Amino acid sequence: NAGVTQTPKFQVLKTGQSMTLQCAQDMNHEYMSWYRQDPGMGLRLIHYSVGAGITDQGEVPNGYNVSRSTTEDFPLRLLSAAPSQTSVYFCASSYSRDGTHNEQCFGPGTRLTVL
Amino acid sequence: GEDVEQSLFLSVREGDSSVINCTYTDSSSTYLYWYKQEPGAGLQLLTYIFSNMDMKQDQRLTVLLNKKDKHLSLRIADTQTGDSAIYFCAEKTGGGADGLTFGKGTHLIIQP
């Protein structure tokens, strides 16, 4: 298994540009989520999905859209990038063993800079 | 609301034990996790503990949970240079898949 993969690894955008961060997993995990990591802030949840066709907002959803058309893929879209979205973005996926426990596997991250 | 607190830095000598502490506020936490992040890398799950346990040991790692005080600790025995990383405490509350709440991370610095 490749686990959780993310592309691109690095990206530089100008303010107002749009882009999509890709995330894919091959473990047949139901649950997928996006976090952003900022210095001194830990990880904060942006959006998550409990299965294909179902998404919901996390702690910091503004400026981001997601969709989940397949179990494998969970892209994160920035419609109009802002400097405040400069961050490292992590995608995670997880399975449920007993309905309450989700062991999350993380991708390697995408480092995004918005000028 | 949910909050997870950790010290930002811990410095230990190689070969000593490291103890990284974490406090959380949500009493409905079901699982608590420790993740390791090496420079430029993603997060690696080290270990986790269910909220009805008070201790879990896995090789050099010992997790202690004091549910009454909402205090979690990670002890790394015989700390090595390869243990240098940022360690994140995280909690999972209730059921469902609404993600984890992370602390800000503790940067473990190993002195030779």
Side-chain angles (χ1 to χ4, degrees), chain B residues 72-84:
Chain B
L72 181 75
S73 67
L74 173 70
R75 179 176 178 269
I76 305 172
D78 188 24
T79 308
Q80 304 296 311
T81 54
D83 296 324
S84 179

Side-chain angles (χ1 to χ4, degrees), chain A residues 82-99:
Chain A
S84 61
Q85 293 178 304
T86 294
S87 188
V88 181
Y89 291 85
F90 289 101
C91 178
S93 72
S94 56
Y95 59 94
S96 174
R97 291 176 181 170
D98 58 2

Side-chain angles (χ1 to χ4, degrees), chain A residues 54-68:
Chain A
I54 307 169
T55 64
D56 207 344
Q57 296 181 349
E59 181 187 351
V60 288
N62 292 341
Y64 307 96
N65 282 349
V66 291
S67 59
R68 185 94 180 269

Side-chain angles (χ1 to χ4, degrees), chain B residues 28-77:
Chain B
S28 67
S29 293
T30 54
Y31 285 89
L32 295 131
Y33 302 83
W34 284 104
Y35 282 86
K36 177 182 181 182
Q37 185 181 33
E38 295 179 359
L43 274 74
Q44 172 196 356
L45 178 66
L46 280 181
T47 187
Y48 64 91
I49 189 167
F50 188 45
S51 58
N52 68 353
M53 299 169 63
D54 51 24
M55 188 181 93
K56 181 177 180 181
Q57 187 152 6
D58 183 2
Q59 298 183 334
R60 291 192 298 125
L61 305 179
T62 303
V63 178
L64 296 177
L65 175 62
N66 182 327
K67 197 172 179 183
K68 174 175 169 293
D69 294 338
K70 300 190 187 71
H71 182 266
L72 181 75
S73 67
L74 173 70
R75 179 176 178 269
I76 305 172

